[in-house]
Amino acid sequence: MTISPKISGVGQQSSQYVPNDPITLSYWLVKRLPVSIAQKIELMSINCPTRRLMRGLEILQNFTKLHCANCDVPITEKEDVFSMSIDGPLASYVNPHGYVHDTLTVTQAKNFKLQGMATTENSWFPGYAWTILNCKSCYHHLGWRFDATKKHLTPSRFYGLTRASLSLKSAKEERKRESSSLANLPALNDEDL
């Protein structure tokens, strides 16, 4: 079974940065998965690299959406994850105050509100201005929207979402969430019809 083609989207668009050694590859994958610290620790505690890789691939194959970790509102989809860095779509960036943000880059986001004005000051991505992004539902900090300041830059807009602000949802969890939302709707009475 060839693993590299299945996970090359997790890192750089080219597979040249994907390790060939199964042990190194298993740690490389865990580092780049958009999962919580607790889930990373769970993956790292798997002593067998093959099992670690299989579990990582299972997570990659099953998750479909990323939600606000605070209120569970959908924010983005698996298909929107892309790499803006040589380190892959999930990279660590430090702000001027020394705070490290594990940031996942995506092409699309929803259910957010912008806070403040766009600025290029201390931008992690040269040529892009950033604006703070908060959850539209609970106002929890999600990350930043990045807008190109020069017409030749691609993409012209993307989002950097903090790993801590997101929770992964599988298709099964999505169906369960949608059915419980429907179950919480008020019952209709005859006079409502």
Side-chain angles (χ1 to χ4, degrees):
M1 174 173 133
T2 303
I3 294 174
S4 291
K6 292 185 180 186
I7 62 173
S8 62
V10 176
Q12 183 65 6
Q13 303 307 335
S14 158
S15 61
Q16 79 183 58
Y17 295 106
V18 178
N20 289 325
D21 170 57
I23 295 170
T24 307
L25 178 62
S26 70
Y27 291 117
W28 178 92
L29 177 61
V30 171
K31 178 183 176 195
R32 284 159 179 80
L33 282 174
V35 296
S36 69
I37 297 297
Q39 289 170 306
K40 282 187 189 266
I41 291 170
E42 176 191 330
L43 285 165
M44 295 298 260
S45 69
I46 298 171
N47 288 330
C48 175
T50 305
R51 287 193 181 124
R52 190 178 311 114
L53 281 168
M54 289 173 63
R55 179 66 183 119
L57 286 172
E58 180 185 341
I59 290 169
L60 272 177
Q61 291 168 343
N62 289 333
F63 98 84
T64 56
K65 294 188 180 186
L66 293 139
H67 288 228
C68 174
N70 197 50
C71 71
D72 207 32
V73 167
I75 302 300
T76 193
E77 312 224 354
K78 176 182 181 175
E79 292 77 24
D80 297 325
V81 174
F82 83 109
S83 185
M84 213 32 207
S85 161
I86 190 171
D87 293 325
L90 184 66
S92 298
Y93 300 97
V94 182
N95 71 14
H97 305 288
Y99 191 82
V100 178
H101 294 278
D102 288 333
T103 304
L104 180 72
T105 49
V106 298
T107 57
Q108 300 288 320
K110 60 185 176 185
N111 296 319
F112 65 85
K113 282 189 163 213
L114 295 175
Q115 177 186 328
M117 301 293 292
T119 181
T120 57
E121 186 177 350
N122 300 310
S123 180
W124 296 322
F125 302 97
Y128 287 88
W130 57 271
T131 310
I132 295 172
L133 201 69
N134 294 324
C135 177
K136 187 177 184 177
S137 176
C138 69
Y139 305 106
H140 182 73
H141 178 250
L142 294 173
W144 305 267
R145 184 176 80 183
F146 291 90
D147 293 294
T149 58
K150 298 175 177 125
K151 292 190 187 287
H152 72 278
L153 290 175
T154 302
S156 60
R157 172 177 289 159
F158 68 95
Y159 302 84
L161 305 174
T162 64
R163 173 57 222 127
S165 70
L166 301 171
S167 66
L168 294 176
K169 298 293 177 186
S170 66
K172 182 178 178 181
E173 290 170 310
E174 275 297 304
R175 286 190 298 276
K176 185 177 176 181
R177 179 182 177 273
E178 288 169 7
S179 66
S180 70
S181 296
L182 291 173
N184 291 332
L185 290 175
L188 291 176
N189 296 322
D190 287 338
E191 58 262 7
D192 294 330
L193 300 174

